[in-house]
Amino acid sequence: NGIVSPDRIPNPHAYEVAYQYQNIWVEMLDSLKGEINVLNEYFFRNLSNYRLNWKLLENGTPIDSGFINDLQVAPQQKTKYILPYQTIGLKGEILLNVSFQLKQAEPLLESGFEVAHQQFLIKQSSINNVQSRKEYKQLKVKGLTVSNDVVNIAFNESTGLLTSYIYEGKSLLGNGGTLRPNFWRAPTDNDLGGDLPRRYKVWKNPQMQLLSSEIKKGKKGIYTYTATYDMPEVQSTLTIAYDIHPDGRIDVNEVMNASDTANISDMYRFGMIMQLPYDMDQSEYYGRGPVENYPDRYLSENIGIYHQTADEQFYPYIRPQETGTKGGMRWWKQMTKERQGFIVTSDEEFYAGALHYDQEELDEGEWKHQRHPKDLNLSHFTNLFLDIEHTGVGGVNSWGLDGIALPQYRVHYGDKNFRFTIQPIKE
């Protein structure tokens, strides 16, 4: 697809190219003292026309900022500077954003244009689930339905999947929607060049035979619904456990046990799709953004708090394909404009994205059909994609085995585990 689309809008991967090509870099010497080296990779110009801007964030929220207006760094040299921020007493995750911007306009570039940027993790923090502090009535069970005065959660007897999730009278699932396992993505151009739609096709709609399902009462009024599936085509079993709390929270644990000896292909992703009401299309998240990013294409996107709609997360590639996924998620809120919805958290960083298109609609199949975005039909849902692993999107080239993601960025066949929490919110 190139770097720029026909309407002169940069493609998402253009931002990663720009990041890798930038000529100004920062080396962190002492993050607690703010000591850095500024490296000038230009061969024939100094950095006198650039301003260094820095910003300190706590859990994604800016708390301090400053700038260095006089950068004295000769070509191919580096100079030490101190950024006067303080981290004493700060809790949570601390990040430092550094940006270099033009002081005076240059040909084709306006004053203030960012020519380079980097982000540094100053202090790491554990990723904690949202906990309820209110008291709720005890849950009751009737068949495969668990409910009290605030929540109604039900599962399908034949499929074992979640079919009803109503919180304070508002459904968190679209009409006919569910929460289901997902191992596939709409193939990218590189995927098609590497023939992955045929090589990975066993993961597109793998047979899932429900072996057992049951509800058991646990501690603190929690009920656990567990569904176990046989997946004969990939010689695996999949178990999904849902810990249902009286406040409406669900802890989901998706576990795949794979064969030790089977010769099964890699998969595109390991996660789940949640089909939401169409108007629940407002995303707020703490992770990498705002441009889509993947395991092998993410350094250009800073970790921060971002707001996007499902429509804004769709990029109209010339030929429809995978789009909208973002990584490094600490939490993800999905809401209506009235800010009713839920927050997703996990003990590990995860991938997420929300679109107004079904995955099947974006899928070109095993061969290119030369469709365009105008040919696509909108979904009845806002589709929320949640993954613990996702395959990269680039290779050495765009064809054959070298066209697919490098081995370290693939989702290999084997045992998998994705645990996350869905907490209803009403802000």
Side-chain angles (χ1 to χ4, degrees):
N1 280 328
I3 298 298
V4 181
S5 64
D7 56 4
R8 310 301 296 168
I9 295 176
N11 281 340
H13 41 279
Y15 298 92
E16 190 72 16
V17 173
Y19 179 85
Q20 299 296 339
Y21 284 6
Q22 66 189 31
N23 286 306
I24 309 174
W25 297 93
V26 170
E27 296 176 343
M28 181 61 68
L29 300 178
D30 190 325
S31 61
L32 296 180
K33 296 180 180 179
E35 294 182 0
I36 64 170
N37 272 336
V38 175
L39 172 63
N40 178 8
E41 287 191 345
Y42 286 110
F43 282 94
F44 304 108
R45 66 176 302 173
N46 59 35
L47 302 185
S48 60
N49 195 31
Y50 299 107
R51 176 185 294 108
L52 183 158
N53 291 288
W54 61 267
K55 185 181 297 183
L56 198 70
L57 300 92
E58 183 178 24
N59 291 332
T61 301
I63 57 172
D64 198 4
S65 63
F67 64 91
I68 299 176
N69 199 53
D70 185 22
L71 290 173
Q72 299 293 330
V73 190
Q76 293 290 296
Q77 301 298 314
K78 57 185 177 183
T79 302
K80 181 179 176 180
Y81 293 94
I82 296 180
L83 307 181
Y85 59 76
Q86 294 292 330
T87 60
I88 298 175
L90 296 180
K91 299 179 180 179
E93 182 176 59
I94 308 302
L95 296 165
L96 173 68
N97 292 349
V98 180
S99 172
F100 295 88
Q101 300 172 0
L102 282 176
K103 290 157 61 174
Q104 297 182 4
E106 295 184 355
L108 302 180
L109 301 177
E110 298 178 349
S111 174
F113 183 84
E114 182 181 80
V115 297
H117 72 92
Q118 277 179 268
Q119 185 176 64
F120 297 92
L121 177 63
I122 305 300
K123 179 184 176 184
Q124 198 162 17
S125 176
S126 61
I127 304 171
N128 296 316
N129 290 343
V130 177
Q131 300 295 329
S132 173
R133 297 181 180 177
K134 295 174 63 176
E135 295 294 329
Y136 292 86
K137 289 186 178 181
Q138 290 186 353
L139 294 167
K140 296 181 180 180
V141 177
K142 184 177 180 180
L144 295 181
T145 299
V146 182
S147 64
N148 61 12
D149 59 329
V150 297
V151 67
N152 183 287
I153 295 170
F155 299 89
N156 183 278
E157 184 177 2
S158 300
T159 66
L161 298 177
L162 179 72
T163 55
S164 175
Y165 194 176
I166 300 172
Y167 178 76
E168 292 190 350
K170 175 71 174 179
S171 178
L172 302 185
L173 292 175
N175 186 20
T178 187
L179 173 67
R180 60 181 174 87
N182 186 29
F183 316 97
W184 193 256
R185 75 177 181 206
T188 66
D189 280 348
N190 283 352
D191 292 338
L192 288 163
D195 200 26
L196 290 193
R198 289 198 298 167
R199 294 166 57 192
Y200 285 8
K201 66 181 179 180
V202 70
W203 293 105
K204 189 170 186 178
N205 290 299
Q207 185 179 4
M208 294 183 57
Q209 301 172 350
L210 183 63
L211 297 177
S212 64
S213 64
E214 61 178 354
I215 296 179
K216 287 186 176 181
K217 186 177 181 179
K219 299 178 181 179
K220 300 181 180 179
I222 298 172
Y223 281 84
T224 299
Y225 172 78
T226 305
T228 302
Y229 304 87
D230 180 33
M231 302 174 66
E233 296 164 306
V234 294
Q235 299 187 38
S236 304
T237 58
L238 186 76
T239 300
I240 308 176
Y242 308 80
D243 294 338
I244 303 167
H245 298 251
D247 63 353
R249 182 167 85 250
I250 303 179
D251 299 327
V252 183
N253 194 18
E254 180 188 21
V255 178
M256 187 178 79
N257 291 312
S259 168
D260 293 330
T261 58
N263 184 20
I264 306 295
S265 74
D266 294 343
M267 63 193 80
Y268 274 129
R269 70 209 305 176
F270 184 78
M272 303 190 82
I273 297 177
M274 191 171 182
Q275 297 168 312
L276 314 175
Y278 190 86
D279 66 347
M280 195 173 287
D281 62 352
Q282 308 292 309
S283 301
E284 180 180 326
Y285 58 91
Y286 180 28
R288 291 192 180 275
V291 178
E292 66 180 50
N293 52 92
Y294 295 86
D296 53 358
R297 196 185 82 200
Y298 67 88
L299 291 176
S300 63
E301 303 310 303
N302 283 345
I303 298 166
I305 297 176
Y306 301 96
H307 304 75
Q308 291 178 318
T309 66
D311 292 333
E312 290 171 336
Q313 293 175 66
F314 173 77
Y315 184 79
Y317 286 103
I318 298 300
R319 184 169 35 249
Q321 54 192 281
E322 157 66 26
T323 183
T325 298
K326 291 161 286 288
M329 287 303 141
R330 279 76 170 142
W331 52 257
W332 180 286
K333 291 181 182 179
Q334 196 65 35
M335 301 172 290
T336 63
K337 289 181 179 179
E338 294 74 33
R339 298 191 70 78
Q340 289 184 312
F342 57 90
I343 181 172
V344 177
T345 57
S346 177
D347 293 332
E348 300 181 69
E349 295 181 13
F350 59 99
Y351 296 87
L355 298 175
H356 271 154
Y357 293 97
D358 294 331
Q359 182 168 267
E360 295 77 11
E361 185 68 15
L362 300 177
D363 195 336
E364 285 281 83
E366 294 184 6
W367 310 102
K368 296 179 182 179
H369 296 292
Q370 309 302 348
R371 294 182 304 151
H372 300 291
K374 68 178 182 64
D375 301 318
L376 299 175
N377 296 311
L378 289 170
S379 174
H380 297 297
F381 307 110
T382 291
N383 292 287
L384 176 62
F385 300 87
L386 302 168
D387 306 316
I388 191 63
E389 292 185 67
H390 197 113
T391 293
V393 291
V396 177
N397 53 43
S398 296
W399 59 89
L401 290 177
D402 287 336
I404 65 176
L406 297 175
Q408 62 267 36
Y409 303 121
R410 300 175 199 165
V411 182
H412 300 296
Y413 177 72
D415 293 347
K416 305 291 180 187
N417 188 350
F418 182 24
R419 185 173 180 85
F420 61 95
T421 294
I422 304 172
Q423 170 74 65
I425 55 176
K426 189 176 181 180
E427 298 185 346

